Amino acid sequence: MRKHQGLTILIMCCCLGLLSGCWDVVELNKRAIVSGIGVDWKEEEKEYLVSFQTVIADEISGKAGRGATPTSVYKASGKSIVEAMRNASRKVPRIISLAHTGLIVISDRVAREGIIDLFDYLDRDSDIRLNAEVLIATQGQTAEDVVSAMTPIGKITAFALEQKIDLTSGQLGENFRIEVDDVIRGLLTPGGGPLVNGVTIEGSAEKASKMETLKNAKVEGLAVISQMAVFKGDRLVSWLNADESRGTVWIRNKMKITPIHLKLLDQGGEISLEVMRSKTRLFADLEDPANPIIHIHVEPNFSIREVNSAIDLRNPATMKLLEDAASKEVIRIMELAVRKSKEVNSDILGFGQAVERSDPSAWRKMKNRWDQLFPRVQVKYHVKPVIRNSQMRDRSVLYKIHNQ
């Protein structure tokens, strides 16, 4: 009998553990939900200045709104990110909740000094998600300006910037999503560093943070996605221009859609193509380990979008001519990206990974001196373009005018 009583008590104790609930629960009305974080540097104090974009739930729901801004920005400084967050408790009347943070904005100044400490914190903190988007504020602007900016479409700037990155990567081809986890992997790349999308304020940064700017048809201050920042190790060393960004996106097999502009020297006029889809593969030739050769194979499919020429698009020879011209243009764009990465000596293109895939044992021998080998890497381009269609029209209006 006593044996059964002991077993019953043990089972009851186990059940009590399941009924205890969340011991560290904090009600929503006691939390300040952070949607975006901006990190700047205060030179005089040698401290981080951290800005928190918090969501005002009443303004988002629209039921109990007072017509105020949908977000509020609090800032605090400290020798470390953690200290800055704790100092923010003097200003924020609720517990700062980072679980919904979707955007991390870093100033150009902080990025040039080094981001290893910042990303150690982001990787270590259990509240911050590793899929939060990372942006670098362009030179001359602060991360605080970006997280404080209002957006006409979408109430929360941090989430709107995430959507802008997804849209421009799928429509323009000069960017792709780069999250906290991607940056950390870039920091661990031998001889390389991470790529991070840039962000800038077009117009007035002061007006961009005011509610009045949303009431005007003409936006006087807007946060805009810019080209990508290149890191060597954990330090920002350069910025890519538009073509270098597209070449990088192409080589890294992130290309979805992008326009290609061709000038037709023999036939005269110009034509615009658009990439419908593209596939890129990298292979390493290690016949001479001291001088590796990287082969870049690209298979883009194009659609004809604009024709300002009298060329005959029904002629197969014309289509072959256009495909050859498109191939040269794609190679030109990729060459710019390769040249830039060699100039800053940062393997942002994944050449080291291609070598490792081809011969893991050879890579183990050369990865510690990849800094010396990378600038000497020979690159060969193999582009096989295919023009799939010309949309709703084949021969242009100019062709018909010239052949009347």
Side-chain angles (χ1 to χ4, degrees):
M1 186 68 178
R2 290 181 178 179
K3 182 178 179 181
H4 292 296
Q5 286 179 344
L7 181 60
T8 303
I9 293 172
L10 178 62
I11 294 174
M12 290 177 65
C13 290
C14 293
C15 291
L16 287 174
L18 298 175
L19 298 174
S20 61
C22 297
W23 64 272
D24 61 345
V25 64
V26 179
E27 298 295 337
L28 283 176
N29 59 3
K30 294 182 180 180
R31 289 182 179 272
I33 305 299
V34 175
S35 57
I37 299 174
V39 182
D40 292 295
W41 181 254
K42 297 176 69 175
E43 184 61 36
E44 294 181 359
E45 294 85 354
K46 303 297 181 182
E47 292 182 339
Y48 287 107
L49 177 63
V50 183
S51 306
F52 303 95
Q53 183 189 86
T54 59
V55 178
I56 302 175
D58 290 343
E59 300 300 329
I60 297 298
S61 65
K63 294 180 180 180
R66 299 168 295 178
T69 58
T71 58
S72 180
V73 176
Y74 296 92
K75 58 183 180 180
S77 59
K79 298 295 183 183
S80 64
I81 304 297
V82 175
E83 183 179 340
M85 287 186 60
R86 298 298 176 255
N87 286 334
S89 64
R90 301 172 183 267
K91 303 176 181 181
V92 185
R94 298 180 180 182
I95 295 175
I96 294 176
S97 178
L98 302 177
H100 295 277
T101 302
L103 183 71
I104 310 293
V105 183
I106 306 168
S107 71
D108 179 278
R109 177 73 173 79
V110 171
R112 290 188 183 277
E113 290 297 320
I115 59 173
I116 192 70
D117 293 342
L118 170 60
F119 278 85
D120 178 81
Y121 163 73
L122 295 176
D123 187 31
R124 192 178 299 276
D125 194 291
S126 60
D127 287 338
I128 297 178
R129 297 176 297 172
L130 293 180
N131 64 349
E133 190 71 29
V134 183
L135 294 175
I136 304 293
T138 55
Q139 193 169 9
Q141 295 185 338
T142 65
E144 181 188 352
D145 290 337
V146 176
V147 298
S148 300
M150 298 285 101
T151 178
I153 302 177
K155 294 184 177 182
I156 303 174
T157 303
F159 300 158
L161 282 171
E162 285 188 88
Q163 294 168 355
K164 288 179 183 180
I165 295 169
D166 291 336
L167 184 62
T168 190
S169 64
Q171 296 293 318
L172 182 60
E174 294 178 8
N175 304 86
F176 56 90
R177 281 188 66 90
I178 299 171
E179 301 169 349
V180 172
D181 199 29
D182 299 316
V183 176
I184 293 172
R185 282 198 294 267
L187 292 171
L188 298 175
T189 301
L195 274 169
V196 184
N197 291 310
V199 61
T200 187
I201 302 292
E202 280 192 357
S204 171
E206 182 181 356
K207 292 181 179 179
S209 63
K210 294 183 178 180
M211 187 67 175
E212 288 74 16
T213 192
L214 303 183
K215 299 178 182 179
N216 299 325
K218 184 178 179 180
V219 180
E220 297 180 324
L222 186 66
V224 179
I225 304 300
S226 64
Q227 273 74 48
M228 291 188 286
V230 179
F231 284 72
K232 174 65 175 178
D234 74 324
R235 296 176 185 267
L236 171 63
V237 293
S238 186
W239 289 86
L240 303 180
N241 62 30
D243 279 345
E244 291 167 349
S245 292
R246 279 199 296 168
T248 301
V249 173
W250 229 315
I251 293 172
R252 293 190 57 161
N253 195 29
K254 301 289 187 178
M255 182 59 70
K256 297 177 182 177
I257 295 176
T258 194
I260 295 292
H261 188 72
L262 305 177
K263 290 186 177 181
L264 306 177
L265 300 178
D266 297 334
Q267 291 77 11
E270 301 174 348
I271 186 169
S272 292
L273 307 179
E274 185 175 77
V275 175
M276 301 166 57
R277 54 185 174 273
S278 181
K279 182 178 181 180
T280 302
R281 294 171 294 167
L282 301 184
F283 298 98
D285 181 355
L286 299 177
E287 185 175 348
D288 180 5
N291 296 285
I293 300 174
I294 301 296
H295 294 268
I296 303 177
H297 295 261
V298 183
E299 299 176 2
N301 290 353
F302 291 100
S303 171
I304 298 175
R305 303 296 301 197
E306 294 182 42
V307 179
N308 184 20
S309 173
I311 61 174
D312 184 4
L313 294 179
R314 294 184 185 179
N315 187 342
T318 299
M319 302 302 284
K320 180 64 168 62
L321 182 146
L322 293 178
E323 289 176 348
D324 291 343
S327 175
K328 293 178 181 178
E329 179 65 8
V330 173
I331 291 174
R332 182 190 72 83
I333 292 172
M334 291 192 295
E335 284 177 338
L336 292 174
V338 172
R339 186 184 309 163
K340 184 68 173 184
S341 64
K342 288 186 176 183
E343 283 178 2
V344 299
N345 194 17
S346 179
D347 184 11
I348 58 174
L349 303 174
F351 289 174
Q353 295 175 0
V355 173
E356 185 177 16
R357 286 194 301 268
S358 299
D359 193 335
S361 60
W363 171 248
R364 284 193 291 271
K365 296 177 182 178
M366 67 174 66
K367 69 177 182 179
N368 292 330
R369 53 192 179 92
W370 188 241
D371 271 339
Q372 291 77 41
L373 293 175
F374 176 70
R376 304 201 309 265
V377 168
Q378 183 181 354
V379 181
K380 295 186 177 181
Y381 306 90
H382 312 273
V383 180
K384 296 181 179 180
V386 177
I387 297 179
R388 291 294 182 189
N389 61 62
S390 59
Q391 297 295 311
M392 302 295 292
R393 174 185 290 275
D394 47 19
R395 289 170 173 167
S396 67
V397 176
L398 281 176
Y399 175 86
K400 294 183 178 181
I401 292 174
H402 286 136
N403 290 275
Q404 284 181 346

